[in-house]
Amino acid sequence: MFRGFYKKTTAQRRAIIDEFRPDLHIMPKALPETVADNMIENYLMNYEIPLGVAVNFTINDKPYVVPMTVEEPSVIAAANNAGKILGNIKTTYGQREITGQIILSGVKNPETVLQQLETHKSTLLQQAKDASPNMVKRGGGPIALTFEHKSSQIEHYIVIYLTFNPCDAMGANAINTCLEALAPSIEELTGEIALMKILSNYSEVAVSKATTSVPVQKLHPNLEQAQNIAESIALASDYASIDVYRATTHNKGIMNGIDALCLATGNDWRAVEASVHAYASRTGNYQPLTKWTYDKESEYLIGEIELPIPVAVVGGTISVHPAAQWSLELLNNPSASELAEIMAAVGLAQNFAAVKALVTDGIQKGHMGLQARSLAMQVGATEGEVILLTEKLQEAPQMSSTIAQELLQEIRDNHSEEK
Ligand code: MEV
């Protein structure tokens, strides 16, 4: 059904998606001004970014058409291609859990405060639950309280950590409300003042994992070249683990896919970015988030990704943005943890596409193709002319809008002569 999807016109692609999901009415999905005006302060206009789909994903044996919102030309093409090569990607998810902090500063007797908190732990946890009735009703809400003494060069602090199950929401509002409701009791109990109460975007438990095993022959029609590519991908992955300059860019490639899916589904990509990069640094050394190894005996390239992706499928922008709603429906309304797993799979595929390109042709070749297409559109090529002009631009010794205009004129002249 999706064969040659990228070669179709926009209208044809919409028709295919309509046929694929007749229950989803694809157009129009514009964000109404009245909704936007209530989303942010000082609203003026909507800023539009293209939404496309990667059509070749299979995750845990289920096919997915993945919505991606992104301005970078090569991202969806790369994800699409990688999805096809990688085949079935297996994913798992850790625990649906976020953490909030109440931080007490200037603590004179940390041991005494810790003891007071430990003694009243169950009462405090019950208070936290009472402050989150809706989450508790849905089977989530406060899970546990733990306490820690931390000291810096200038101060002693006591940190109260609240772990919280946000169910299918991101949970930022819910946990912040809960922390703010709990803080006065803690202040009264300890006689200390809370410096702040806030959700942390860090997690070591709400972690998505995805793995893939690719038969080496899928990397190139020539077996020897395919083996070289697999070895080079494994080397590129190894190198990223010893060089922060490379690891940062390696991870940027992963986030190309994850952020695009975050945006399409109305999720807070800043939270995801913060969480992911902190996780990449958890050993004290910033590390790549994927690992590729080549098993020469079985001739499989094996890829793994592991990262926390704090996303939601209800609440905030998600519930009011028509395109975010549409995107979630296209994914068959996943739970928040399933969405985080899909994102891990997309991140793994995006990284595979980037690294494979880097160790073979380089990324400019693919980029140039897409740049040619965007130049063709810029100079006013019609839908029927875009493909031909793109081909001609790629064959030209240089690419610029002047050359694109000249080539377009040539195409038009030839066409009228033929008539
Ligand atoms: C470009 O947006 C992303 C890459 O630089 C990622 C990488 O280098 O792995 C191609």
Short mmCIF file of all heavy atoms in Angstrom, two decimals, residues 72 74-75 246-254 256 350-358 363 367, ligand 1:
data_model
loop_
_atom_site.label_atom_id
_atom_site.label_comp_id
_atom_site.label_asym_id
_atom_site.label_seq_id
_atom_site.Cartn_x
_atom_site.Cartn_y
_atom_site.Cartn_z
N GLU A 72 13.72 19.63 9.20
CA GLU A 72 14.97 19.20 8.55
C GLU A 72 14.65 18.21 7.42
O GLU A 72 14.03 17.17 7.66
CB GLU A 72 15.90 18.56 9.60
CG GLU A 72 17.29 18.30 9.06
CD GLU A 72 18.25 17.79 10.15
OE1 GLU A 72 18.14 18.22 11.31
OE2 GLU A 72 19.10 16.96 9.81
N SER A 74 15.96 15.80 5.60
CA SER A 74 16.30 14.38 5.42
C SER A 74 15.76 13.46 6.51
O SER A 74 15.89 12.24 6.39
CB SER A 74 17.82 14.26 5.37
OG SER A 74 18.35 14.82 6.55
N VAL A 75 15.16 14.01 7.56
CA VAL A 75 14.85 13.17 8.73
C VAL A 75 13.84 12.06 8.41
O VAL A 75 14.07 10.88 8.72
CB VAL A 75 14.36 14.06 9.91
CG1 VAL A 75 13.79 13.21 11.03
CG2 VAL A 75 15.52 14.90 10.42
N ARG A 246 31.88 13.45 19.18
CA ARG A 246 31.11 12.56 18.30
C ARG A 246 29.82 12.10 19.00
O ARG A 246 28.76 12.05 18.37
CB ARG A 246 31.99 11.35 17.90
CG ARG A 246 31.31 10.34 17.04
CD ARG A 246 30.74 10.91 15.74
NE ARG A 246 29.57 10.14 15.32
CZ ARG A 246 28.53 10.62 14.67
NH1 ARG A 246 28.47 11.88 14.30
NH2 ARG A 246 27.52 9.84 14.37
N ALA A 247 29.92 11.79 20.30
CA ALA A 247 28.74 11.28 21.03
C ALA A 247 27.58 12.29 20.96
O ALA A 247 26.42 11.91 20.78
CB ALA A 247 29.09 10.98 22.48
N THR A 248 27.91 13.57 21.06
CA THR A 248 26.86 14.60 21.04
C THR A 248 26.13 14.59 19.70
O THR A 248 24.89 14.65 19.65
CB THR A 248 27.51 16.00 21.26
OG1 THR A 248 28.26 15.94 22.45
CG2 THR A 248 26.48 17.09 21.34
N THR A 249 26.87 14.47 18.61
CA THR A 249 26.24 14.50 17.28
C THR A 249 25.51 13.19 17.00
O THR A 249 24.43 13.18 16.40
CB THR A 249 27.32 14.76 16.21
OG1 THR A 249 28.18 15.76 16.71
CG2 THR A 249 26.72 15.20 14.90
N HIS A 250 26.12 12.10 17.47
CA HIS A 250 25.48 10.78 17.37
C HIS A 250 24.10 10.85 18.04
O HIS A 250 23.08 10.46 17.46
CB HIS A 250 26.42 9.80 18.10
CG HIS A 250 26.00 8.38 18.13
ND1 HIS A 250 26.55 7.43 17.31
CD2 HIS A 250 25.12 7.71 18.91
CE1 HIS A 250 26.04 6.25 17.57
NE2 HIS A 250 25.14 6.39 18.56
N ASN A 251 24.06 11.43 19.24
CA ASN A 251 22.78 11.52 19.97
C ASN A 251 21.84 12.53 19.32
O ASN A 251 20.62 12.38 19.38
CB ASN A 251 23.02 11.86 21.44
CG ASN A 251 23.65 10.69 22.19
OD1 ASN A 251 23.65 9.57 21.69
ND2 ASN A 251 24.17 10.94 23.37
N LYS A 252 22.40 13.56 18.71
CA LYS A 252 21.54 14.54 18.01
C LYS A 252 20.77 13.83 16.89
O LYS A 252 19.60 14.08 16.67
CB LYS A 252 22.40 15.67 17.44
CG LYS A 252 21.62 16.87 16.92
CD LYS A 252 21.17 16.76 15.48
CE LYS A 252 20.41 17.99 15.01
NZ LYS A 252 19.92 17.87 13.63
N GLY A 253 21.46 12.92 16.21
CA GLY A 253 20.80 12.16 15.14
C GLY A 253 19.64 11.33 15.70
O GLY A 253 18.58 11.23 15.07
N ILE A 254 19.83 10.75 16.87
CA ILE A 254 18.76 9.96 17.51
C ILE A 254 17.57 10.88 17.80
O ILE A 254 16.41 10.55 17.52
CB ILE A 254 19.28 9.34 18.83
CG1 ILE A 254 20.38 8.31 18.54
CG2 ILE A 254 18.14 8.75 19.66
CD1 ILE A 254 21.13 7.82 19.78
N ASN A 256 16.73 13.57 16.36
CA ASN A 256 16.03 14.03 15.15
C ASN A 256 14.69 13.30 15.03
O ASN A 256 13.66 13.90 14.72
CB ASN A 256 16.85 13.71 13.91
CG ASN A 256 17.85 14.80 13.59
OD1 ASN A 256 17.76 15.92 14.09
ND2 ASN A 256 18.82 14.48 12.73
N GLN A 350 16.64 6.05 13.35
CA GLN A 350 17.20 7.32 12.88
C GLN A 350 18.73 7.30 13.01
O GLN A 350 19.45 7.76 12.13
CB GLN A 350 16.62 8.45 13.75
CG GLN A 350 16.65 9.79 13.09
CD GLN A 350 15.56 9.95 12.04
OE1 GLN A 350 14.40 9.70 12.32
NE2 GLN A 350 15.94 10.36 10.85
N ASN A 351 19.20 6.75 14.11
CA ASN A 351 20.63 6.67 14.33
C ASN A 351 21.29 5.71 13.33
O ASN A 351 22.36 6.00 12.77
CB ASN A 351 20.86 6.19 15.78
CG ASN A 351 22.32 5.92 16.10
OD1 ASN A 351 22.69 4.78 16.38
ND2 ASN A 351 23.15 6.94 16.08
N PHE A 352 20.60 4.59 13.08
CA PHE A 352 21.12 3.63 12.10
C PHE A 352 21.28 4.32 10.74
O PHE A 352 22.32 4.21 10.09
CB PHE A 352 20.17 2.43 12.00
CG PHE A 352 20.45 1.55 10.81
CD1 PHE A 352 21.46 0.61 10.86
CD2 PHE A 352 19.70 1.66 9.64
CE1 PHE A 352 21.75 -0.20 9.76
CE2 PHE A 352 19.97 0.87 8.54
CZ PHE A 352 21.00 -0.07 8.59
N ALA A 353 20.24 5.04 10.33
CA ALA A 353 20.28 5.70 9.01
C ALA A 353 21.44 6.68 8.94
O ALA A 353 22.19 6.71 7.94
CB ALA A 353 18.96 6.43 8.76
N ALA A 354 21.61 7.48 10.01
CA ALA A 354 22.67 8.49 9.99
C ALA A 354 24.04 7.84 9.94
O ALA A 354 24.89 8.19 9.10
CB ALA A 354 22.55 9.40 11.21
N VAL A 355 24.26 6.86 10.82
CA VAL A 355 25.59 6.26 10.91
C VAL A 355 25.90 5.47 9.64
O VAL A 355 27.02 5.52 9.12
CB VAL A 355 25.71 5.40 12.19
CG1 VAL A 355 27.06 4.69 12.24
CG2 VAL A 355 25.55 6.27 13.42
N LYS A 356 24.91 4.77 9.10
CA LYS A 356 25.14 4.02 7.86
C LYS A 356 25.55 4.99 6.74
O LYS A 356 26.49 4.75 6.01
CB LYS A 356 23.88 3.24 7.48
CG LYS A 356 24.02 2.48 6.17
CD LYS A 356 22.86 1.52 5.97
CE LYS A 356 22.91 0.84 4.62
NZ LYS A 356 22.50 1.71 3.51
N ALA A 357 24.82 6.11 6.66
CA ALA A 357 25.17 7.09 5.62
C ALA A 357 26.58 7.63 5.85
O ALA A 357 27.39 7.75 4.92
CB ALA A 357 24.15 8.23 5.62
N LEU A 358 26.89 7.92 7.12
CA LEU A 358 28.20 8.52 7.43
C LEU A 358 29.36 7.60 7.08
O LEU A 358 30.41 8.06 6.63
CB LEU A 358 28.27 8.90 8.92
CG LEU A 358 27.39 10.08 9.33
CD1 LEU A 358 27.34 10.22 10.83
CD2 LEU A 358 27.90 11.37 8.70
N ILE A 363 26.63 12.01 4.40
CA ILE A 363 25.22 12.40 4.41
C ILE A 363 24.87 13.43 3.35
O ILE A 363 23.72 13.66 3.05
CB ILE A 363 24.73 12.93 5.79
CG1 ILE A 363 25.59 14.09 6.25
CG2 ILE A 363 24.64 11.84 6.80
CD1 ILE A 363 24.88 14.90 7.30
N HIS A 367 21.27 14.50 1.41
CA HIS A 367 20.83 15.88 1.66
C HIS A 367 20.69 16.65 0.35
O HIS A 367 19.78 17.44 0.18
CB HIS A 367 21.84 16.61 2.54
CG HIS A 367 21.65 16.31 3.99
ND1 HIS A 367 22.24 17.02 5.00
CD2 HIS A 367 20.92 15.38 4.60
CE1 HIS A 367 21.88 16.54 6.15
NE2 HIS A 367 21.08 15.53 5.94
C1 MEV B 1 22.09 15.60 11.29
O1 MEV B 1 20.89 16.25 11.64
C2 MEV B 1 22.32 14.39 12.17
C3 MEV B 1 23.65 13.66 11.98
O2 MEV B 1 24.73 14.59 12.13
C4 MEV B 1 23.72 12.58 13.04
C5 MEV B 1 25.05 11.88 13.13
O3 MEV B 1 26.09 12.47 12.82
O4 MEV B 1 25.04 10.71 13.61
C6 MEV B 1 23.77 13.08 10.60
#
